[in-house]
Amino acid sequence: MTSSDRVCERFEELLDTRPEILREAAEDFGRLVSAPPLGVLRPGSAAGVRDALAYAGPRGIPVAARAGGHSMYGQGQAPGGIVLDLRGLNAVGPVTGDRVEVQAGALWRDVLAATLPYGLAPPVLTDYLGAGVGGVLSVGGLGGASHRHGLVADSVLELEVVTGAGEHLVCSPERHGTLFHAVLAGLGQVAVVVRATVRLSPAPALVRRYCLYYPGLDAYLADQRLLARDGRFAYLEGQARPAEGTADGWTYMVEAVAAHRATAPPDDRTLLGDLSFTSSETEDLGYAEFANRVAADEEVLRATGEWFHPHPWLNLLLPDDTAASVVTGVLTDPAFRDLRENGLVLLYPLLTRTLRAPLFRRPRGEVVHLLALLRTAAPGTADPMVAANRTAYEHARAKGAVAYPANALPMSAGDWREHYGSGWGTLAEAKSRHDPHGILGRGHGMGW
């Protein structure tokens, strides 16, 4: 037996191939695609990730990195390949000045818990903090502060990665800049993130949360557009909600948050006086309580079992000039009627100038809107919902929309080329250079 054979044998012995482990790795939060891997590897260091990719590359074995497991449609799976379970790479810290080092397997709730004692937090957080650091950075990451600060990925100063070619590198805008920009919002196509250095901002002690209600979409979008542009609120999101007493009507709610101190509360009249809402609710919360608000919902859904049901979610970014048409079309479509009973519709504005990661695709115009259709399906009933997602995507795409690629949405290689447009060549070149064997990111179906 050669030394190379012995290395391969030792590596293969590290793979966990127990049936229950393979079943777990074959699923994700979407519960729509089941793709068992060859085995699961739990690297304890960057060297372990490097060894896995160096082994898999020449053999053409697919590799997928996984921490929170919150992909929707098999994007984080490796059928017949190796799943890198990064949950052991979960160190957070040190916090140094206005930055923190975090390993890719840490959850964002762990990051926040480590930075808040210093009075600091990432400038942008997603609503759900149970997702893994590496996964969020690979799609970009949107949240209520994105109208001010862009993507979660836009706060990254430096990355430690292992490329699909097995190279262990540290990259930043100034050092291996092409690789750095291909990793952030690059959908895991060129490298596995091991560690990120994230810029931090001062975190408030208290926030005031306003829920502002609108009976019509036009007035809602007009005020959301205004609030995104002037940035008066630190956090800005919103929802479409079924109108009470109607069979198919909808109302709209702006969710806006202002940071403050107990000795200097916000001036409600100044913040709200020029808006056209018809009713409102206000509450004061500690910042940590607000940032972790989804955790209570998760506990309830886990207790009822709904957390483990299929999630045929669809996230679209809409141009401002066609947003009203697309939203109205989706909300009146019988194929999405179940949103009234078992779904959540997010609808909020972003400014394209703040979304800086080069590979993050956005529609035309200064203001765009995230439309997130978050549905839960009973087991065995999700296929028509996925088909409806595809129809809605095609309709919206014809009106200038692009997908925010955290979706239960079948995409062909041609769809991806259209999605990236002029950026496709940049991604393809990075893929060829840094993942020459094409082992990473196969779950997206880009057809490399």
Side-chain angles (χ1 to χ4, degrees):
M1 179 182 292
T2 67
S3 59
S4 177
D5 290 335
R6 284 192 291 271
V7 168
C8 292
E9 185 176 272
R10 287 197 297 271
F11 179 82
E12 290 163 4
E13 288 173 354
L14 295 175
L15 288 179
D16 193 333
T17 60
R18 289 174 293 171
E20 64 273 20
I21 298 300
L22 299 184
R23 283 195 296 270
E24 179 187 4
E27 304 293 337
D28 57 19
F29 182 69
R31 302 281 171 176
L32 296 163
V33 175
S34 182
L38 175 69
V40 174
L41 184 70
R42 301 179 185 86
S45 65
V49 176
R50 180 198 62 210
D51 290 346
L53 293 175
Y55 171 85
R59 294 166 178 81
I61 300 173
V63 176
R66 180 184 179 117
H70 279 85
S71 61
M72 295 290 157
Y73 204 63
Q75 295 94 337
Q77 296 172 15
I82 298 169
V83 169
L84 298 178
D85 184 342
L86 300 183
R87 287 177 291 184
L89 293 174
N90 59 8
V92 180
V95 176
T96 307
D98 65 347
R99 61 193 62 193
V100 61
E101 292 190 9
V102 294
Q103 288 187 317
L107 306 182
W108 286 100
R109 65 167 65 105
D110 303 326
V111 178
L112 188 62
T115 62
L116 276 182
Y118 296 86
L120 299 169
V124 181
L125 288 166
T126 54
D127 290 336
Y128 177 62
L129 300 183
V133 166
V136 170
L137 297 183
S138 75
V139 295
L142 292 171
S146 289
H147 69 295
R148 281 188 173 187
H149 302 293
L151 306 169
V152 176
D154 290 330
S155 299
V156 174
L157 303 173
E158 184 180 89
L159 290 169
E160 179 184 2
V161 304
V162 178
T163 70
E167 291 183 285
H168 179 200
L169 298 169
V170 174
C171 55
S172 69
E174 298 78 29
R175 182 182 182 188
H176 303 298
T178 301
L179 175 61
F180 178 82
H181 292 302
V183 172
L184 295 175
L187 304 182
Q189 292 297 311
V190 300
V192 173
V193 177
V194 176
R195 176 188 56 83
T197 302
V198 179
R199 178 172 52 83
L200 302 173
S201 297
L206 299 171
V207 299
R208 178 163 294 178
R209 178 175 179 259
Y210 302 92
C211 295
L212 313 175
Y213 296 94
Y214 296 73
L217 179 58
D218 289 343
Y220 169 84
L221 290 176
D223 277 2
Q224 286 281 50
R225 196 178 296 121
L226 169 67
L227 296 175
R229 285 171 170 153
D230 69 25
R232 72 183 74 172
F233 289 108
Y235 171 102
L236 179 63
E237 288 196 7
Q239 299 177 17
R241 295 181 169 186
E244 295 182 5
T246 69
D248 54 9
W250 292 82
T251 60
Y252 303 89
M253 185 268 286
V254 170
E255 183 185 20
V257 172
H260 71 97
R261 302 186 306 275
T263 56
D267 184 334
D268 295 349
R269 181 173 297 182
T270 298
L271 288 173
L272 306 179
D274 59 346
L275 305 178
S276 58
F277 58 92
T278 57
S279 62
S280 65
E281 299 169 350
T282 304
E283 64 175 336
D284 289 318
L285 300 164
Y287 175 73
E289 180 184 4
F290 171 73
N292 284 291
R293 65 199 178 283
V294 178
D297 296 330
E298 179 184 352
E299 289 182 10
V300 171
L301 293 173
R302 285 183 178 275
T304 63
E306 292 177 77
W307 188 262
F308 308 102
H309 287 183
H311 296 94
W313 289 7
L314 179 65
N315 292 276
L316 301 171
L317 294 169
L318 312 178
D320 186 48
D321 59 357
T322 61
S325 171
V326 173
V327 171
T328 300
V330 168
L331 295 184
T332 57
D333 185 341
F336 288 92
R337 186 169 182 80
D338 60 284
L339 281 168
R340 302 182 65 85
E341 287 80 37
N342 67 353
L344 175 67
V345 180
L346 299 180
L347 178 62
Y348 62 87
L350 306 162
L351 298 178
T352 53
R353 61 176 170 78
T354 72
L355 308 172
R356 298 185 296 279
L359 284 180
F360 186 81
R361 311 319 292 168
R362 67 220 71 181
R364 63 180 181 270
E366 174 203 9
V367 178
V368 299
H369 303 266
L370 174 69
L371 174 63
L373 309 172
L374 312 182
R375 302 195 278 179
T376 302
T381 68
D383 286 352
M385 297 183 184
V386 174
N389 285 352
R390 178 68 203 190
T391 300
Y393 168 65
E394 291 176 358
H395 171 73
R397 182 171 62 177
K399 296 194 173 188
V402 300
Y404 174 60
N407 285 320
L409 177 67
M411 295 272 283
S412 69
D415 291 327
W416 284 115
R417 287 182 176 86
E418 182 173 343
H419 171 83
Y420 280 103
S422 61
W424 177 257
T426 299
L427 180 59
E429 183 178 348
K431 181 76 170 179
S432 176
R433 178 177 178 182
H434 296 293
D435 184 24
H437 305 291
I439 61 173
L440 296 176
R442 289 192 185 176
H444 289 277
M446 292 189 184
W448 303 110

